[in-house]
Amino acid sequence: MRPRTSLLLGSLGLLALLGCSGSDYHDGPISGYLVNAIAVADIDGNGQPDILGLVSTDFGGVATQGYVSTRLQGPAGAFAMPTRFGVGTEPANLVVADVNGDGRPDLVVANAQDQTVSVRLADPARPGFFQPAIVLATPGRTPLDVAVGDVNGDGKADIVVAASGANNVMVFLQGATAGTFPAPFTFPVGGDPQAVTVADLDGDGTLDIAVATTANTVSVLRQIQFSPTLVAQSAVDYPTGVQPVAIKAADLNGDGKLDLLTANYGATLSPGTQGLSVLIQGATAGTFLPPVHYTTGYRSAALAVGDLNGDGKVDVVVANSGLPGDPGSVTVFLQDPATAGALLTPTTYRGVWGPMGVAIGDMDGDGRPDLVLADGDIVVRFNQASSPGTFGPPQFFYN
């Protein structure tokens, strides 16, 4: 099982024992919560990015139903009180994307313990709210990550699931009726899936699938054809650091081709030495060079990419959950202005409870991207006007 899931349960117990903001004291069992993934999106259509935290809960040490906590941004930098939307038990990750083609962002959540995926479509009558969940079953499999994209070219978004328990990736194609999903297709990959992304990696106009696996590889599936007959190329595996648990596709070196980046949970010894792996795309479209590894904090769990200092180049942020008893850290890599695709020596920011998720968005309307973290609770670090690309102390947005 993905290290994130084990860490999640351990952290819930720690929160309950220590009595921080994530626990409730009363006679009887103690309840606790943990924000373990994060997203930023304008879900109410007012032009301001909102915060969505994925929250796991327990009661007396037993996992209970999780939820997505939304904080809507009104006037720049002003956030409403949270609204909660239930999902499954022990939710592991989420994506915010328009699933049913109505122009509104929807929620898709991987529920590890339930062995389900929750799809909550946007409520057309209430901007920023969501309809009851559509539940997709993954029996015998533990969903750890999800991605959304039109992988079969029919103009409708599909759902791709990295589910532990077999060496294949699951693809739920959207049916003829918007928001319906028949039984999934599966495609072999090089190891047990831990994380997934969909993107046009080879520039042919169709989406490809890249899966981070327990074999310390990324498996790339290209040129999948679903009709009139199903045809999928064999996955091509590329090495990463040890235990990749998050993956992103981005044009890091500015050559117009997407590269792959993984956050690696790490080995028992020296777990931070390959915390970030960068696989630059090679000369042949859709193929990748050997990885370049960068040292992060311990137990890298998530990453985000974006231009943090306004120089027009893509930078990288890695959330590091930390060793047991440690608050973890956030590692910020700015891109080297002299060498395309290379990253400078990072700046490290101490965590609060152990960062497990990170997203990028302008949370105060100053035009500079800030860091939004799943760090026990929802935490924001604001980009500093005096030194763009550096970030201030944690500000808490309780869920």
Side-chain angles (χ1 to χ4, degrees), residues 319-365:
N320 312 299
S321 56
L323 297 175
D326 181 82
S329 63
V330 180
T331 306
V332 176
F333 293 92
L334 299 180
Q335 190 168 165
D336 186 346
T339 306
L343 303 176
L344 298 171
T345 301
T347 301
T348 298
Y349 300 87
R350 182 179 174 87
V352 180
W353 288 101
M356 296 176 66
V358 59
I360 296 171
D362 183 3
M363 295 294 108
D364 56 2

Side-chain angles (χ1 to χ4, degrees), residues 7-8 38 59 69 93 97 112 140 188 206 213 226 236 292 322 344 354 360:
L7 173 67
L8 187 157
I38 205 83
F59 185 73
S69 175
N93 220 331
T206 61
T213 80
F226 288 88
V236 178
V292 177
L344 298 171
I360 296 171

Side-chain angles (χ1 to χ4, degrees), residues 12 24 26-32 57-64:
L12 281 172
D24 298 317
H26 49 75
D27 292 333
I30 297 174
S31 62
T57 65
D58 78 344
F59 185 73
V62 177
T64 51

Side-chain angles (χ1 to χ4, degrees), residues 36-307:
N36 62 290
I38 205 83
V40 170
D42 179 13
I43 61 172
D44 59 355
N46 70 345
Q48 302 280 17
D50 309 306
I51 301 173
L52 301 94
L54 183 63
V55 184
S56 292
T57 65
D58 78 344
F59 185 73
V62 177
T64 51
Q65 183 186 25
Y67 58 89
V68 174
S69 175
T70 64
R71 298 293 298 262
L72 301 180
Q73 186 172 185
F79 287 84
M81 293 299 291
T83 303
R84 298 175 175 181
F85 300 92
V87 292
T89 305
E90 200 180 308
N93 220 331
L94 82 164
V95 65
V96 183
D98 181 7
V99 172
N100 61 346
D102 66 355
R104 302 179 181 90
D106 308 306
L107 300 179
V108 183
V109 178
N111 304 306
Q113 182 166 302
D114 284 358
Q115 298 186 342
T116 64
V117 173
S118 296
V119 182
R120 297 201 62 154
L121 301 178
D123 187 340
R126 303 180 70 192
F129 284 73
F130 299 93
Q131 297 177 359
I134 300 164
V135 178
L136 310 181
T138 63
R141 304 285 296 275
T142 302
L144 299 175
D145 195 18
V146 286
V148 172
D150 179 11
V151 296
N152 65 341
D154 66 353
K156 295 177 290 188
D158 309 304
I159 296 174
V160 184
V161 184
S164 179
N167 291 357
N168 58 56
V169 64
M170 307 178 76
V171 178
F172 289 87
L173 297 181
Q174 189 162 180
T177 302
T180 63
F181 297 88
F185 294 89
T186 59
F187 298 99
V189 293
D192 194 72
Q194 304 294 289
V196 63
T197 189
V198 295
D200 183 5
L201 298 176
D202 53 10
D204 67 352
T206 61
L207 294 183
D208 309 301
I209 300 172
V211 183
T213 80
T214 53
N216 302 334
T217 62
V218 168
S219 287
V220 175
L221 282 160
R222 296 169 43 223
Q223 300 178 357
I224 302 172
Q225 176 182 303
F226 288 88
S227 63
T229 57
L230 179 64
V231 178
Q233 288 189 350
S234 297
V236 178
D237 294 335
Y238 298 91
T240 65
V242 177
Q243 295 190 66
V245 294
I247 185 169
K248 296 289 184 185
D251 180 9
L252 190 64
N253 61 350
D255 65 354
K257 299 182 290 186
L258 292 176
D259 311 303
L260 294 173
L261 303 90
T262 65
N264 310 311
Y265 192 74
T268 302
L269 300 176
S270 302
T273 56
Q274 295 183 347
L276 171 66
S277 296
V278 175
L279 289 73
I280 297 294
Q281 189 164 165
T284 301
T287 66
F288 297 88
L289 301 176
V292 177
H293 303 299
Y294 293 89
T295 298
T296 63
Y298 290 149
R299 302 304 189 208
S300 297
L303 76 158
V305 295
D307 181 7

Side-chain angles (χ1 to χ4, degrees), residues 312-329:
K313 299 179 183 297
V314 176
D315 309 306
V316 183
V317 186
V318 182
N320 312 299
S321 56
L323 297 175
D326 181 82
S329 63

